[in-house]
Amino acid sequence: MSIATSGGETLAISTNMTIYINNLNEKIKLEELKKSLHAVFSQFGKILEVLAFKTLKHKGQAWVVFEDVASATEALKRMQGFPFYDKPMRIQYAKTKSDIIAKADGTFVPRERRRPDDKAEKRRREQHRDANQAGLNSAYGGTYGTLPLVRNALFFHCHFFHFLFF
C-alpha cells in the first residue's frame, strides 16, 4: 500500500497487524469510541488492543491492533469507507508496528518522552520568532503591533510643521 504525501512523493506502507483509522466522529466519547470500534472490527479476528486518544493532535483517529495480518487486511478491505457515527472511515495500515506487537516479538524500544516544560519553551520560542518575523518592536509587541511608534512619528511630524508655518 502507498500513500501520497503533501510534497507529491509516495510512501510505501507495508502490511501490518495494526490498522490506522481516521475521519472518525470527534464528538463521540473516548470509551464509547473504543468499545464501538472493538465491536465493529472484532468480526475480522481477535483484537489485541484499540487505541484512541482525546488529545487535540489525535482526535478523530484510532488504531486497532489485530492478532494477525490477515485479519487486519480483511478489516481494511471490507470496512474502507464504512459509515461509522455518520462519517465514512478512512483506513490504512499503521506506519509502524504497535508497541504491544513489538513487546511480544522482542523488538520494542521505548520512546523518549518529552518533558512537560519542553512544550512551553517551544511555544515561547515560536511566539518570539513570529513577533520578530512580523517586525514588531518588543516594547510595543502586542495586539496593535507598531502603531504607537507610527502615531508618535506622525505627531512629531505634524507639530514640527505646525511650528514652521504658524
Side-chain angles (χ1 to χ4, degrees), residues 27-39 50-54 84-85:
K27 295 176 183 171
I28 307 305
K29 292 186 178 174
L30 191 62
E31 285 310 309
E32 181 182 347
L33 178 66
K34 286 181 178 183
K35 286 178 184 176
S36 297
L37 286 169
H38 194 281
V50 176
L51 298 164
F53 306 97
K54 60 181 175 183
F84 187 74
Y85 288 104

Side-chain angles (χ1 to χ4, degrees), residues 24 35 50 62 84-85 90 93 96 100 120-121 125 148 151-152 154-155 166:
L24 295 172
K35 286 178 184 176
V50 176
F84 187 74
Y85 288 104
R90 291 193 304 242
Y93 292 110
T96 58
I100 196 168
E121 176 64 21
R125 274 188 269 123
R151 186 176 54 225
N152 289 342
L154 289 173
F155 178 77
F166 296 104

Side-chain angles (χ1 to χ4, degrees), residues 19-30 33-34 37 51-63 84-85 87-92:
I19 58 173
Y20 166 74
I21 307 160
N22 68 353
N23 197 41
L24 295 172
N25 192 325
E26 296 177 13
K27 295 176 183 171
I28 307 305
K29 292 186 178 174
L30 191 62
L33 178 66
K34 286 181 178 183
L37 286 169
L51 298 164
F53 306 97
K54 60 181 175 183
T55 61
L56 188 61
K57 180 181 176 181
H58 293 107
K59 275 190 169 212
Q61 305 172 67
W63 290 260
F84 187 74
Y85 288 104
K87 291 184 81 174
M89 289 190 283
R90 291 193 304 242
I91 308 170
Q92 62 190 42

